[in-house]
Amino acid sequence: MAERYNPQEIEKKWQARWEADKLYNAEMDPSRPKHYALTMYPYPSGDLHIGHWYAMAPSDARARYMRMRGYNVMFPMGFDAFGLPAENAAIKRKIHPYSWTMANIERMRGQLRSMGAMFDWDREVVTCDPRYYKWNQWLFLRLYEAGLAYKTFAPVDWCPNCNTSLAREQVIGEDRRCERCGTLVIKKDLDQWLFRITNYADELLDFSGLDWPERVKVMQTNWIGRSEGAEVRFTTEAGYPIVVFTTRPDTLWGATFMVLAPEHPLVEKVTTPPQQAQVAAYQEQARRMSEIERQAKDKEKTGVFTGGFAINPVNGARIPIWIADYVLMSYGTGAIMAVPAHDQRDFEFARKYGLKIQVVIQGENTPANGEEMELAFDAEGVMINSGPFNGTPSAEGIRKVTAWLEEQGIGKFAVNYRLRDWLISRQRYWGTPIPMIYCPTCGALPVPDQDLPVVLPQDAEFLPTGESPLKYHLGFRYTTCPQCGGPAERDTDTMDTFVDSSWYQYAYITPYDPERLFEPAAGDYWLPVDQYTGGVEHATMHLLYTRFFTKAMRDLGLVKYDEPMLKLFNQGIILGEDNEKMSKSRGNVVDPDDLVSRYGADVVRMFLMFLSSWNQGGPWNSRGIEGITRFLGRVWELVLEPANPTAPAGYHSDQAVRDLRRVTHQTIQRVTRDLEDFGFNTTIAALMEFSNMLGRARSTPVVETPAWQEAIESLLLLLAPLAPHLSEELWHQTGRPYSVHQQPWPQVDNAAAVEDEITLVVQINGKVRDRIQVPAGIAEQEAKERALEAPGAHKMLDGKTPRQVIYVPGKLVNIVL
RNA sequence: GCCGGGGUGGCGGAAUUGGCAGACGCGCUCGCCUCAAAAGUGAGUGAGGGCAACCUCAUGUGGGUUCAAGUCCCACCCUCGGCACCA
């Protein structure tokens, strides 16, 4: 009697052995195809939760599978170690963010090891290490030199709770909350560094060559928000130009007023003295609105007449200029031409303030008179009241009018994006110092490369004041000008942590390389990332930023690719047993450490993969995990318990061997296909079916044949990516050579996998009436004849002649009466 | 409002190109094992009807195409996620 399956014992043993043997260390080997598998690195919060397991265990299984398929696999791991939680925890507990972070990392390393994943720990990077963030600074300087990093004074999004500015991407939802803490974000005027991601807007819209989920591509496309149209120059009566952006140049003749954003610089110039007080009051109110709350649901449009007029350049019409907060300074030119007949927002505004509504697009059933309209007509139609363009279909009109505007010199084709440049300055301590120096005589200067890294001082006072903590660290702040040697000051902001993660996949190539970002020869071999996995929540943040970085790095000559990650897979989310999001307050959190000590890592890994399809996630089930324990227990016995075979009645050895080999090779087929597509749940189902079959075969003399050995060996190999410890132990105990993880993936014997007899379904009018066993290669004519004779069908036929008999080879015969 | 994903037994979920709906697992029921229990193990398990062989109904709702629909088409409902005064 062999020992029972005891995961605790074998898992620790093999983890130690694998680590000692450096089994998973990736070495460059040009003779083999490489596979760079990457899973999003964790923030070192201090505890590995089930979500981390759900993200990492299946991606580990996939990486292991690729390795057995003959790829030289690199599967690194690291820590996204800068960021606010460390700072907040440090303030609360009065310990240094560095100590807090490092202690957490230490703890999480141990937890990650308990997973039995094939992480190459020799490549680990920790982003708060100066050896890492030195290259953040170096990249910043390269972007600066290339004109892709710039500083500007502008109103920015500010989280009053986190006490820092945020990138547009980190402001969530209609009511504009902080992505981190959910606080309502306000506007603040600050001098900040930005990365010119908008330079790459068009290229970022091109996903060709990327095998990414449709969902992510759509989210990025929407986020970038490209729209084509025209810029048209209107002129105020006093002669100031007002440039507007419109997607509907075909409606230019219907522009009956203009609207400027309240903060538009021209407002002061166009406002007439009698309107001054009202305009100023509205501007003030709009300012407060954006600062206080913007939650009001039914935002009724408001605005104020400036007293000024503009001339519509296409027809010379004199139209009033208003200001209104539905026009945003941050989009387009901050000014619009209002065409109330054909734009619902302008329509509502015109109705409210009694402005003229001029119809210029005629639809099938739309009134030609603006007074009779109930809604703006924004569909396609034919241009009317539009001078030389009368009778032109609107779609064609958009092109023709744009060309005409260019000829007349009053406008041009233009593209606008919703995407804003990436604001990277943060007014917090725990991040990468921005490597810039401000000299009163020489101006803003980059820190020379040889002075990198600009080290984050350990002894800064980092209590949040709304200003950068580094500002109060005089030793850091005051320095000398690298140009004139005179007194100068450093930039005291730190970088958004998304800068760290924008290039971390490159850092793993030659981690903490003191000389360069990474070694080019190694980069040529390993890059780009072949398979990236992680949550979809980063669709318009990290995943957009890292694409931008790669494109910018390509233009700097640092990488040779347009895209950082060729394939992307988004795993779902594990919910609590109550089908709700796991949270401490709900008390529905499951702790992986507990589970590992109770069931073992292999069981936890496999249960997470078995729950549902990986991209779907789903509720935890504390009973369901027992099913995996039973399954692995049965595998254990199947492999190790001596069998005591007896031949059942009618046993034929040849047939039994054929049946066994068929199931073995069909299982190899199924598992291979499913693992290719991340179908872990169906992979496991196939292995369960296989082992159930083996369980039945075990009591027969087939166990004494080589086919049985082949079946057991295949089972262990197919199981190896999913349950690495158990497979290794059984591989070892059955006297096979170390390590199961260095074995090639089993080969399918197609001939053995073929069925020699199939079940043919016999239908009458599409309903199943019988099933017959026939040889797999049966001819159509014979199949039909046998079907007609099948008892279930014969009875229903009752002597009638079928109108039609349909044969689907290998599947069914449908007799139509 | 716009865009995208999803609605299948008591539960989690399967179902290559339209071709046996419910694989696999959980749970449940009845056996075996046991003094008993746990563990293990065998059989059964969509609903309704029938003594039975069998029959009928069933993949969110309503239509349609087809010999055949969870799968394709049209309309709608619910749900999750993203965007939202973007000119």
Side-chain angles (χ1 to χ4, degrees):
Chain A
M1 187 78 179
E3 275 176 58
R4 296 274 303 248
Y5 171 42
N6 179 353
Q8 274 61 36
E9 207 172 287
I10 65 174
E11 290 181 353
K12 283 199 186 69
K13 179 179 75 179
W14 289 114
Q15 283 163 18
R17 173 85 191 267
W18 296 332
E19 200 166 333
D21 294 346
K22 294 197 175 288
L23 193 67
Y24 304 124
N25 286 31
E27 301 295 341
M28 241 173 94
D29 177 359
S31 72
R32 283 199 297 154
K34 64 92 184 183
H35 179 80
Y36 185 174
L38 184 64
T39 196
M40 291 180 185
Y41 65 173
Y43 180 81
S45 55
D47 244 313
L48 206 66
H49 53 77
I50 200 75
H52 289 120
W53 273 73
Y54 196 57
M56 292 171 185
S59 41
D60 172 64
R62 187 61 166 35
R64 288 176 174 278
Y65 162 75
M66 292 304 283
R67 179 179 151 120
M68 291 174 79
R69 290 303 302 262
Y71 289 91
N72 187 18
V73 176
M74 173 163 100
F75 189 48
M77 185 42 65
F79 293 94
D80 184 18
F82 268 140
L84 276 183
E87 208 166 325
N88 293 338
I91 290 163
K92 207 163 131 193
R93 294 165 212 210
K94 303 204 188 315
I95 49 166
H96 197 273
Y98 179 85
S99 327
W100 185 83
T101 302
M102 285 315 196
N104 287 349
I105 288 175
E106 197 46 47
R107 176 171 161 71
M108 286 173 81
R109 278 191 194 117
Q111 291 173 308
L112 282 165
R113 282 187 162 89
S114 78
M115 195 182 290
M118 55 171 284
F119 298 127
D120 178 353
W121 286 106
D122 284 5
R123 293 179 184 270
E124 182 199 73
V125 294
V126 174
T127 58
C128 66
D129 190 309
R131 292 174 296 172
Y132 184 90
Y133 68 70
K134 168 183 176 177
W135 297 103
N136 277 354
Q137 294 169 338
W138 187 86
L139 282 165
F140 176 96
L141 295 175
R142 299 294 85 77
L143 293 174
Y144 175 73
E145 288 161 4
L148 291 170
Y150 64 97
K151 196 175 199 190
T152 191
F153 184 76
V156 301
D157 295 307
W158 175 273
C159 174
N161 180 50
C162 296
N163 270 298
T164 183
S165 56
L166 300 170
R168 176 64 189 89
E169 286 76 22
Q170 290 153 32
V171 180
I172 305 288
E174 187 177 8
D175 49 354
R176 302 177 49 77
R177 289 174 184 276
C178 171
E179 180 254 336
R180 273 236 86 82
C181 68
T183 305
L184 290 169
V185 162
I186 62 171
K187 287 279 179 192
K188 204 167 180 175
D189 291 324
L190 284 173
D191 210 14
Q192 303 269 278
W193 283 97
L194 291 97
F195 286 159
R196 227 180 271 283
I197 189 171
T198 53
N199 268 22
Y200 292 89
D202 274 323
E203 213 195 321
L204 288 167
L205 285 168
D206 178 9
F207 297 93
S208 51
L210 281 194
D211 186 357
W212 278 29
E214 205 52 38
R215 186 157 58 134
V216 175
K217 294 195 275 188
V218 167
M219 282 166 77
Q220 292 200 348
T221 302
N222 291 344
W223 187 260
I224 294 165
R226 182 182 205 272
S227 52
E228 289 189 359
E231 273 182 13
V232 187
R233 198 176 67 246
F234 285 64
T235 316
T236 69
E237 279 188 315
Y240 294 110
I242 304 179
V243 177
V244 300
F245 173 74
T246 177
T247 55
R248 293 294 302 274
D250 57 318
T251 64
L252 256 166
W253 282 261
T256 53
F257 60 101
M258 299 192 81
V259 186
L260 304 179
E263 59 273 48
H264 195 285
L266 226 50
V267 174
E268 277 64 43
K269 300 209 168 74
V270 299
T271 304
T272 57
Q275 296 301 110
Q276 211 107 57
Q278 240 193 312
V279 166
Y282 187 80
Q283 284 180 310
E284 184 51 33
Q285 179 204 320
R287 249 184 78 81
R288 256 210 315 278
M289 276 279 288
S290 62
E291 277 184 14
I292 301 170
E293 41 136 3
R294 300 165 146 256
Q295 242 180 324
K297 266 275 176 246
D298 278 313
K299 282 172 209 150
E300 199 185 328
K301 291 181 181 37
T302 58
V304 171
F305 178 44
T306 61
F309 285 86
I311 303 301
N312 184 337
V314 301
N315 58 7
R318 181 174 181 264
I319 57 176
I321 304 171
W322 286 63
I323 62 170
D325 65 2
Y326 81 92
V327 174
L328 311 172
M329 196 59 221
S330 57
Y331 186 78
T333 61
I336 63 161
M337 66 170 197
V339 184
H342 306 295
D343 181 286
Q344 186 58 28
R345 297 156 298 178
D346 299 344
F347 180 82
E348 287 167 23
F349 195 80
R351 270 288 151 83
K352 180 166 177 185
Y353 294 105
L355 296 158
K356 191 181 170 194
I357 298 171
Q358 171 70 52
V359 176
V360 291
I361 304 292
Q362 180 69 62
E364 299 250 314
N365 306 310
T366 49
N369 183 342
E371 307 314 309
E372 293 163 25
M373 294 180 110
E374 286 168 20
L375 284 172
F377 175 70
D378 55 12
E380 287 188 13
V382 176
M383 292 174 70
I384 56 168
N385 302 321
S386 297
F389 292 93
N390 285 338
T392 312
S394 55
E396 192 185 325
I398 291 176
R399 289 195 303 278
K400 288 193 168 166
V401 171
T402 305
W404 182 80
L405 289 170
E406 295 195 14
E407 275 168 37
Q408 303 289 309
I410 50 177
K412 60 176 191 200
F413 174 81
V415 177
N416 248 286
Y417 302 93
R418 221 184 67 98
L419 181 71
R420 304 264 67 92
D421 277 337
W422 174 15
L423 192 156
I424 60 133
S425 297
R426 296 290 177 273
Q427 293 68 48
R428 295 294 298 242
Y429 165 70
W430 192 232
T432 306
I434 292 175
M436 293 295 291
I437 291 170
Y438 306 98
C439 168
T441 37
C442 308
L445 291 167
V447 172
D449 281 1
Q450 67 270 17
D451 295 344
L452 298 184
V454 176
V455 176
L456 184 69
Q458 286 279 320
D459 55 347
E461 179 57 69
F462 46 80
L463 286 175
T465 60
E467 287 207 87
S468 307
L470 292 177
K471 213 172 193 169
Y472 299 100
H473 189 289
L474 304 184
F476 176 86
R477 179 174 167 185
Y478 295 110
T479 183
T480 51
C481 172
Q483 195 162 294
C484 68
E489 290 186 31
R490 289 188 189 280
D491 198 300
T492 52
D493 285 350
T494 53
M495 294 184 203
D496 183 0
T497 54
F498 280 111
V499 174
D500 314 1
S501 54
S502 291
W503 67 277
Y504 79 118
Q505 67 272 26
Y506 301 119
Y508 287 132
I509 301 298
T510 43
Y512 300 139
D513 194 323
E515 299 301 325
R516 62 227 136 165
L517 204 58
F518 59 84
E519 193 188 298
D524 286 346
Y525 179 70
W526 290 113
L527 295 172
V529 173
D530 295 285
Q531 181 65 60
Y532 197 37
T533 60
V536 74
E537 66 275 12
H538 288 111
T540 56
M541 292 190 270
H542 163 60
L543 289 172
L544 193 61
Y545 295 146
T546 191
R547 290 183 68 214
F548 155 63
F549 251 62
T550 293
K551 290 171 195 302
M553 287 169 70
R554 174 204 59 204
D555 292 345
L556 293 166
L558 297 168
V559 296
K560 295 174 179 168
Y561 303 94
D562 301 323
E563 293 288 347
M565 294 107 179
L566 302 179
K567 282 186 167 196
L568 174 68
F569 191 99
N570 297 125
Q571 80 274 4
I573 297 168
I574 290 292
L575 302 171
E577 232 167 333
D578 53 1
N579 227 322
E580 300 286 339
K581 204 171 172 235
M582 280 194 197
S583 71
K584 280 185 188 136
S585 56
R586 279 204 183 83
N588 61 352
V589 177
V590 302
D591 173 23
D593 290 353
D594 272 6
L595 294 168
V596 169
S597 59
R598 196 142 21 128
Y599 301 103
D602 283 342
V603 169
V604 178
R605 288 168 61 102
M606 282 190 72
F607 183 60
L608 287 169
M609 293 188 240
F610 185 63
L611 261 184
S612 69
S613 41
W614 195 32
N615 59 3
Q616 203 173 303
W620 180 257
N621 182 330
S622 53
R623 298 296 293 269
I625 194 168
E626 307 275 358
I628 298 291
T629 298
R630 279 177 218 163
F631 167 58
L632 292 186
R634 278 197 297 266
V635 169
W636 180 271
E637 279 178 39
L638 196 59
V639 175
L640 296 181
E641 292 283 318
N644 198 5
T646 50
Y651 178 82
H652 295 291
S653 180
D654 289 356
Q655 185 62 42
V657 166
R658 239 188 350 264
D659 289 346
L660 178 58
R661 294 203 70 226
R662 187 172 54 246
V663 178
T664 301
H665 288 275
Q666 285 180 348
T667 303
I668 298 171
Q669 272 175 343
R670 288 173 68 184
V671 168
T672 306
R673 171 171 41 82
D674 289 352
L675 284 182
E676 279 300 323
D677 304 339
F678 300 89
F680 301 106
N681 54 340
T682 50
T683 288
I684 294 170
L687 290 171
M688 285 173 165
E689 284 180 63
F690 185 37
S691 81
N692 289 345
M693 191 271 180
L694 293 179
R696 287 188 294 273
R698 201 163 78 102
S699 53
T700 74
V702 81
V703 293
E704 284 148 4
T705 67
W708 179 259
Q709 288 308 315
E710 181 192 38
I712 292 297
E713 185 153 319
S714 303
L715 176 66
L716 293 178
L717 291 170
L718 298 176
L719 204 52
L722 310 167
H725 310 90
L726 173 86
S727 317
E728 187 79 288
E729 178 68 18
L730 292 177
W731 191 259
H732 170 75
Q733 287 210 29
T734 52
R736 295 177 162 90
Y738 178 81
S739 158
V740 71
H741 302 298
Q742 289 170 311
Q743 304 303 315
W745 193 247
Q747 287 269 321
V748 178
D749 179 344
N750 285 311
V754 167
E755 297 277 0
D756 35 35
E757 201 177 51
I758 56 161
T759 303
L760 202 62
V761 169
V762 182
Q763 297 182 331
I764 305 281
N765 292 336
K767 287 196 167 129
V768 181
R769 296 300 173 187
D770 211 338
R771 296 180 172 87
I772 52 176
Q773 290 299 115
V774 299
I778 192 168
E780 174 163 357
Q781 194 53 40
E782 203 197 335
K784 286 179 174 173
E785 281 163 18
R786 301 259 299 260
L788 288 164
E789 285 159 17
H794 196 76
K795 187 181 60 186
M796 299 292 285
L797 266 170
D798 196 26
K800 279 175 275 188
T801 314
R803 281 196 319 177
Q804 201 184 345
V805 180
I806 288 160
Y807 174 60
V808 182
K811 303 265 183 188
L812 57 78
V813 175
N814 188 11
I815 300 161
V816 186
L817 292 179

